[in-house]
Every structure is written in C-alpha cells, then in structure tokens.
Amino acid sequence: MKKIQTNILKITTIIFLFLIISCDDYLSELPDNRAEIDSPEKISGLITGAYSEGNYQLMAELMSDNATSRSNIRSYINVFLGEQMFTWNTSLDDDQDTPTFFWSNTYAAIAQANQALASIKELEGQSNLDAQKGEALLARAYAHFMLVNFWGKHYNPSTSESDLGIPYVTEPETALIQSYTRNTVAEVYDLVEKDLLEGMDLIQDREKNAKFHFSKAAANAFAARFYQYKGDWAEVISYANKILTNPKSQIRDLLAYQNLSYSQRTLQYSNSLEDSNILVSSTMSWWARNFWRTNYGLSNLNSDAIFEADNPFGKGWAYDIFGSVEGFNLPKFDEYFKITNQSAGTGRGFTSQVLFGYDEALLNRAEAYAMQEDYANCLKDLNDFLSKKTEGHDSGSDVLTEEMVVNMFPVTKDELTPFYTFKDDKQLSFINAILKFRQKEFYHEGIRWFDVRRFNIAIERYYRKDDIDIALAKEDLRKQLQIPESAINFGLTPNPR
C-alpha cells in the first residue's frame, strides 16, 4: 500500500411529498389521474424507477468502526449529519445522504415496483412480461432487504419472529396518505425470500444499460448475500457458484489500478464498464465529494491498522491511499452534478454506487466454506482474492495456508458473537481473516456496518469535538436507526432506545 499526497476536490429533484412512500410525480397522483401503462416498454420504463436514489454509504461508513474523528479539515455539505452518524444519534434532517432520505426514496422505489407489478397483472395474456415482472420483484425484495437491515435488528432465528422490522409493502398506493404497520424481521425476510426466488426464475438480462438493472448475475449475488445474513451456508455457496466461474478474472484487479491516476481510478471504480461490478446504481448523493473530506473517516489513527497490517505474505497491499494525514482516502466515486437552476448555478450531486460485485460474492463464498469447515475451498477463494490485492504477488510462493491464517488472525475472546456459534478457534481465525479482507476491500462503501451488525461487534472511539471517548455496545439498540419522525407521526412504532 502506498500513501500518496494530493489535493483532491472534484466537483465533476426529487421532491418528497410524504414520508413512507411516494416521492415520484407519477406515483403522487391518484390512480384515476395517472397515465395509462399499457405496453411492455412503458412497464420497463416504470421499473427503471424501482431502484432507490437514496445512498446509504455516508451513514453506514460513519456509524461503523471504519471512521475516526479527524480534525475539522475542510468545510463540506451537512457537517451536522456527520456528527450525528459518528455518535449514533438520530438525524431529523431529510436532505441527501440522511437516513430519512434513504428511507423515503427506497419506499418510493418500492412504490414504482408495485405499480409495475400491478400493471403487468392487468396486461396478463397480452404480452410476455416475465422479465419485467422478475426485475420488479427483485427490486422490491432488495429495497425491503436494505431497509430492514438499517431499521430492524439483524436476523436471528431465535428472536426475529418478535423483532420489529419495517413495513413490507406489496400493493400500489390508492390514497395520497396510507397507514402502515411494521412487519417483524422474520416476516420481512420471508417476503424478501419469496420475491427474490420468484424474481430470479423470471429475470432476463437487459441489452441496454444492463448493469443498472437486475440481471441473472445480480440476482444470484443478492441471494448469496441474503442467505449469508441468514447463516444458510449451503445456499450461499450454491448461488455464488452460479456466477463465480473464474474468480481471478472476475474480481477487481487492484494491481492494474496502480497504473491509473487518481482521476482514472475515480472514474473506473463504480463504472458500469468495470468488469468486477455486477449491479450499479445512480444515487442522489454528495458522497462523491464528501467521502474524503468529512470530519470522520480514514486517518493516521486507523490507516496503518487497516491497510498496512495483515498481509499474509509480508508484502504491501495494493490499496493505494491518497490524501493527507487527516484526510486519507481511496478513490472510488465520481460525481455527476445536475444543474437545477442555471442562473444560480445550483443543483444536485449524483454518485454511482456499486450494489453488488464479484469480490463480495467471492468473499461471501469463502465465509460460507469456512463455516462449513471446508478450509481447502475457502483457501482457494482467499488465494484467488489475495492474488489481485497484494503488491508483487507471486503465485508460486505466495500461497495462504491454514497455519498462516491461524497464526496471523488469532482469536480475540467474545469479539465476534453472531447468532450462531463457532466450532473452534481455527474456524474463528478464518472468519476473522475474511472480515479484515472485507474491511479493506469495501472501505468507504458502507459494507463494514453490516458486518458490525452481523457479528455484534462493539465500537469504542474518540470523539474529538467533545474531547470524549464514545462507545457502541455489542447489542446496542442504536445499531437500529430510529424510524423517521414523519413516519412515527403517521403511526409507525418507533424503535426502542
């Protein structure tokens, strides 16, 4: 890993009417005022809006143990939001990158999917709409899955039948204001699984803008993550196997990235043309300009522990770090600025976000192999992964072994306490290694927060603004975001605090 000094500042509407669902002009009309959806083309266009424009990366990254409290290095958009997320406090803001914005935009996407499914039902027998139906079901499943993993507790078969989840909405709106109740986490997972499996059987790959839509590969990547969260390891392996045909050629080649400039890496990482990306989304977000300059992130306090340590071969990692001591970053995001007022020069920032990629599928499978004590296959996946992340990697001599894993990733008692148990220290060492590889690979992307929740990881850190240490306990209730205020006002039960 190289740390590279540079100054980086790249500056390269949705009106939401009510909170729980519906921020799209089309869906804010009562049914008898809506344009008629009477063709496959119109339905396909409708499904394009079934992907949330909300971005969760800021809130997930800053809540996770990826973030440290840096000095006030630069001004940036919504400083207070950063403080709230870093200290696990409730944000009442509803602007871009807030929990409320993600909630309302994700439910708006669900509304689009539901209207598409209703229109497909009305046209039944007139056209073959199986592919559109499959995409709408998968988009609806994914949206609810992400919501429940922010606002509900992580899935636990012992408690999920009573744990509060989120409303699982399956019908189009028939009124401007509708009442909803929260399903349990178990109910949400059951409904996600139903939509996921049905959608997977129907989905067909699109020819145009394919990576901005669910495909067969994206559906299988989603299924691998879904069953990983449930601890169903055989299913994780089964679905990952369907897309991992030659992992070394499918995952992100960071050694090749080292030949690119900062700007080139920024353009490449979340691009739909990047082979390692399976599903990409365009989100209304300032994350592309804020990820490197918030007051909370990668700094000299944690960069060495994450990006200098733990290479099994004693070599450098290929994760090049840019920026200054108080503002390290990895170039991953490019902003598209859409002007909404030409004379004032104001507008909205859009950030491309990788929703699924081959690296995650590979590490998910490796984790499943480790949980099944199939260490030979786990090591094969990890060696494939490390071959593209290690500087000067030599396939002949740089080979990860069980002994190396056990020695380099020792057990810390009670650090990882998921709902399932580990057979022995060896298995725990393998999981510990995989989690560290995941933390490096998906830094800035929010994935670490879900690992914190999955494994009940406690967080202790310094909060510079108040000069105090703060902590998030293993089963802290603040690991579930508070239901947005307007949704509570509409009758949804708030999360306990």
Side-chain angles (χ1 to χ4, degrees):
M1 180 209 67
K2 300 188 289 289
K3 289 177 182 160
I4 304 169
Q5 289 290 118
T6 183
N7 289 323
I8 311 147
L9 179 57
K10 288 176 61 71
I11 301 177
T12 26
T13 220
I14 291 178
I15 302 171
F16 31 102
L17 302 176
F18 39 87
L19 183 57
I20 296 206
I21 307 177
S22 188
C23 60
D24 181 89
D25 290 339
Y26 172 83
L27 290 165
S28 67
E29 292 287 336
L30 290 173
D32 52 3
N33 292 331
R34 293 176 181 166
E36 187 175 3
I37 305 299
D38 55 4
S39 71
E41 292 74 23
K42 290 181 180 179
I43 289 174
S44 294
L46 188 62
I47 296 172
T48 298
Y51 299 86
S52 178
E53 286 192 317
N55 187 306
Y56 59 78
Q57 290 170 314
L58 181 149
M59 57 187 189
E61 274 296 295
L62 270 57
M63 288 190 294
S64 81
D65 55 356
N66 277 352
T68 63
S69 187
R70 311 188 291 203
S71 63
N72 297 329
I73 55 174
R74 297 175 181 87
S75 61
Y76 62 96
I77 297 170
N78 210 334
V79 175
F80 189 43
L81 174 63
E83 295 175 5
Q84 292 169 319
M85 295 297 96
F86 185 79
T87 56
W88 311 292
N89 285 315
T90 299
S91 170
L92 300 180
D93 193 3
D94 59 7
D95 203 354
Q96 291 176 216
D97 299 307
T98 63
T100 296
F101 190 86
F102 183 76
W103 168 283
S104 54
N105 275 267
T106 303
Y107 271 116
I110 291 167
Q112 292 274 101
N114 285 336
Q115 184 56 50
L117 290 167
S119 297
I120 288 169
K121 188 174 182 179
E122 291 173 2
L123 293 176
E124 194 170 8
Q126 299 179 37
S127 303
N128 185 346
L129 298 170
D130 285 354
Q132 289 91 334
K133 182 178 180 180
E135 185 178 358
L137 287 168
L138 287 165
R140 182 170 76 181
Y142 174 73
H144 284 107
F145 178 74
M146 295 307 297
L147 288 167
V148 77
N149 279 290
F150 276 114
W151 279 273
K153 288 186 176 181
H154 182 71
Y155 180 85
N156 182 334
S158 299
T159 64
S160 288
E161 290 187 1
S162 59
D163 290 337
L164 285 173
I166 44 92
Y168 203 101
V169 183
T170 59
E171 299 292 335
E173 291 184 290
T174 56
L176 287 177
I177 303 285
Q178 290 187 199
S179 297
Y180 296 92
T181 57
R182 297 177 68 176
N183 294 85
T184 66
V185 171
E187 289 170 340
V188 173
Y189 267 71
D190 287 345
L191 290 165
V192 167
E193 185 173 31
K194 180 178 181 295
D195 280 350
L196 168 60
L197 296 180
E198 184 179 355
M200 184 180 297
D201 286 340
L202 299 172
I203 192 67
Q204 297 293 326
D205 295 352
R206 288 203 186 198
E207 294 182 3
K208 185 178 180 181
N209 298 324
K211 288 192 178 180
F212 288 96
H213 298 272
F214 264 103
S215 60
K216 291 181 181 296
N220 283 294
F222 177 20
R225 185 193 295 180
F226 174 79
Y227 288 110
Q228 177 196 47
Y229 283 26
K230 289 191 71 176
D232 192 338
W233 308 116
E235 294 289 0
V236 175
I237 294 167
S238 174
Y239 286 107
N241 282 346
K242 293 180 180 181
I243 58 175
L244 292 169
T245 56
N246 184 5
K248 279 189 176 182
S249 66
Q250 291 175 294
I251 64 174
R252 195 179 304 275
D253 186 352
L254 289 187
L255 300 176
Y257 269 58
Q258 291 190 320
N259 296 318
L260 304 178
S261 67
Y262 185 96
S263 296
Q264 289 172 324
R265 298 180 200 211
T266 293
L267 291 170
Q268 181 70 15
Y269 192 91
S270 301
N271 199 303
S272 62
L273 299 178
E274 164 61 56
D275 291 339
S276 66
N277 296 334
I278 300 175
L279 182 63
V280 178
S281 180
S282 177
T283 61
M284 191 181 295
S285 170
W286 299 117
W287 189 233
R289 69 170 68 181
N290 281 344
F291 81 98
W292 63 276
R293 62 175 182 171
T294 69
N295 293 338
Y296 311 96
L298 188 65
S299 72
N300 61 327
L301 298 177
N302 66 340
S303 62
D304 286 353
I306 296 175
F307 292 106
E308 292 281 4
D310 301 324
N311 187 282
F313 314 122
K315 296 183 176 182
W317 290 103
Y319 300 94
D320 289 343
I321 306 300
F322 290 76
S324 64
V325 170
E326 283 290 344
F328 291 142
N329 71 93
L330 291 79
K332 291 189 173 186
F333 311 103
D334 185 54
E335 180 182 294
Y336 166 68
F337 185 72
K338 183 178 180 180
I339 295 177
T340 55
N341 186 318
Q342 191 72 42
S343 60
T346 56
R348 292 282 191 177
F350 285 81
T351 300
S352 289
Q353 180 178 359
V354 179
L355 302 184
F356 292 104
Y358 287 107
D359 287 272
E360 184 197 350
L362 183 64
L363 292 176
N364 289 352
R365 188 173 71 176
E367 182 179 330
Y369 279 138
M371 291 307 302
Q372 289 194 330
E373 300 176 80
D374 185 351
Y375 297 118
N377 274 317
C378 179
L379 286 168
K380 184 178 185 306
D381 281 350
L382 294 182
N383 275 304
D384 283 346
F385 176 80
L386 292 169
S387 71
K388 300 298 181 181
K389 319 296 176 180
T390 300
E391 293 179 341
H393 184 271
D394 184 329
S395 59
S397 58
D398 294 335
V399 180
L400 186 67
T401 65
E402 287 188 19
E403 183 180 8
M404 293 166 69
V405 172
V406 172
N407 290 337
M408 291 199 65
F409 303 95
V411 175
T412 301
K413 183 176 174 56
D414 295 331
E415 180 182 7
L416 307 178
T417 56
F419 67 79
Y420 44 86
T421 58
F422 299 107
K423 180 180 179 181
D424 52 29
D425 286 354
K426 181 168 95 169
Q427 187 178 61
L428 185 51
S429 288
F430 268 85
I431 298 302
N432 191 22
I434 292 166
L435 286 176
K436 288 183 180 296
F437 298 160
R438 286 171 62 89
Q439 186 176 25
K440 299 177 208 306
E441 183 66 24
F442 305 120
Y443 202 92
H444 294 315
E445 298 179 59
I447 299 298
R448 178 64 178 177
W449 175 243
F450 302 115
D451 289 345
V452 166
R453 285 168 44 91
R454 286 198 299 136
F455 289 94
N456 291 317
I457 296 173
I459 301 175
E460 296 180 0
R461 59 192 180 194
Y462 175 66
Y463 181 38
R464 187 190 298 259
K465 181 179 179 182
D466 291 346
D467 193 24
I468 58 173
D469 293 323
I470 58 177
L472 189 72
K474 292 180 74 65
E475 298 189 21
D476 201 303
L477 294 176
R478 292 173 296 171
K479 286 185 176 178
Q480 291 71 247
L481 290 171
Q482 185 55 272
I483 299 296
E485 184 178 39
S486 298
I488 294 173
N489 292 338
F490 278 123
L492 280 192
T493 303
N495 279 327
R497 284 293 185 262

